[in-house]
């Protein structure tokens, strides 16, 4: 139960990955929502498990690799943020009632990039959750890990498929512009902070 709560506490924070899943969920294309949610949840499961197996020590020992990932991730976040800002300034790029016209492949690729090129994901899952799990005695660490992985699954499935409840609100183009403005602000802020190493 403690693993579940700790995992949720870290994952629920508003960030690039969650903003992307929310947007895809509101768009409501089941054939796109499911693979995006699976990419995020399964990636977390792999990263948390890697942390429990001790990969966090390797990540901390490779500062150049972490710096390269940080810069790539920062660049992607800035581009993603500018894309969202463009949709705010040019509402003609929106599909009323359906958000953007991002295809399944692009949505899945974006989820992969937002997950694997985000150094904060490694710090949260591999280093932090992995070290917390390893503080548990014996088999308890694997129960703790299962709780954290379950928290990730519950969150991403809830966010991705629960976002459809917001669809009536997003039937108006103005609502999409507000969402995109928030996404642009989050992505650009995270991208700049990541680039600066903050």
């Amino acid at each position: 139960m403690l693993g579940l709560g700790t995992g949720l506490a870290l994952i629920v924070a508003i960030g690039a990955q969650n903003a992307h899943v929310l947007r895809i969920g509101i768009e409501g294309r089941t054939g796109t929502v499911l693979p995006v949610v699976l990419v995020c949840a399964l990636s977390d499961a792999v990263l948390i498990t890697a942390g429990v197996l001790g990969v966090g020590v390797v990540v901390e020992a490779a500062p150049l690799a972490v710096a390269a990932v940080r810069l790539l991730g920062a660049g992607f976040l800035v581009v993603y943020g500018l894309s969202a800002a463009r949709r705010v300034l040019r509402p003609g790029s929106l599909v009323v009632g359906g958000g953007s016209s991002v295809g399944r492949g692009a949505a899945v690729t974006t989820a992969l990039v937002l997950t694997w090129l985000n150094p904060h994901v490694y710090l949260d899952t591999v280093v932090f959750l992995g070290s917390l799990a390893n503080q548990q005695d014996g088999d308890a660490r694997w129960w703790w890990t299962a709780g954290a992985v379950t928290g990730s699954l519950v969150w991403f499935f809830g966010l991705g498929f629960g976002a459809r409840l917001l669809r009536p609100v997003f039937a108006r183009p103005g609502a999409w512009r507000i969402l995109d403005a928030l996404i642009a602000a989050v992505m650009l802020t995270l991208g700049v902070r990541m680039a600066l190493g903050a």
Side-chain angles (χ1 to χ4, degrees):
M1 205 58 165
L2 184 59
L4 175 70
T6 308
L8 279 171
L10 285 176
I11 294 161
V12 170
I14 294 173
Q17 190 184 45
N18 287 338
H20 179 63
V21 173
L22 178 64
R23 181 175 232 307
I24 296 299
I26 291 170
E27 289 176 7
R29 291 172 289 149
T30 306
T32 303
V33 175
L34 182 59
V36 165
V37 164
L38 285 173
V39 161
C40 295
L42 294 177
S43 293
D44 271 9
V46 167
L47 290 165
I48 292 167
T49 304
V52 175
L53 294 172
V55 175
V57 175
V58 176
V59 170
E60 288 180 323
L64 288 177
V66 172
V69 168
R70 178 173 52 81
L71 290 175
L72 285 170
F76 184 81
L77 289 175
V78 168
V79 169
Y80 193 98
L82 291 173
S83 175
R86 181 176 166 263
R87 288 192 301 267
V88 172
L89 299 173
R90 297 179 67 197
S93 62
L94 291 173
V95 178
V96 177
S100 68
S101 56
V102 174
R104 181 186 314 165
V108 169
T109 300
T110 299
L112 285 166
V113 170
L114 290 174
T115 301
W116 292 93
L117 287 185
N118 180 355
H120 294 291
V121 169
Y122 293 97
L123 294 174
D124 290 347
T125 57
V126 177
V127 177
F128 184 68
L129 289 178
S131 64
L132 284 177
N134 283 320
Q135 291 176 18
Q136 312 304 311
D137 294 326
D139 288 342
R141 76 179 179 146
W142 292 111
W143 286 108
W144 196 98
T145 302
V149 168
T150 301
S152 178
L153 285 166
V154 167
W155 171 251
F156 285 117
F157 272 86
L159 181 62
F161 288 100
R164 65 187 171 90
L165 300 173
L166 296 173
R167 244 182 266 151
V169 173
F170 287 92
R172 298 184 313 266
W176 281 103
R177 291 179 77 185
I178 292 169
L179 178 64
D180 277 324
L182 292 171
I183 289 173
V186 168
M187 299 295 180
L188 291 170
T189 301
L190 290 174
V192 169
R193 288 186 65 198
M194 196 180 291
L196 297 174

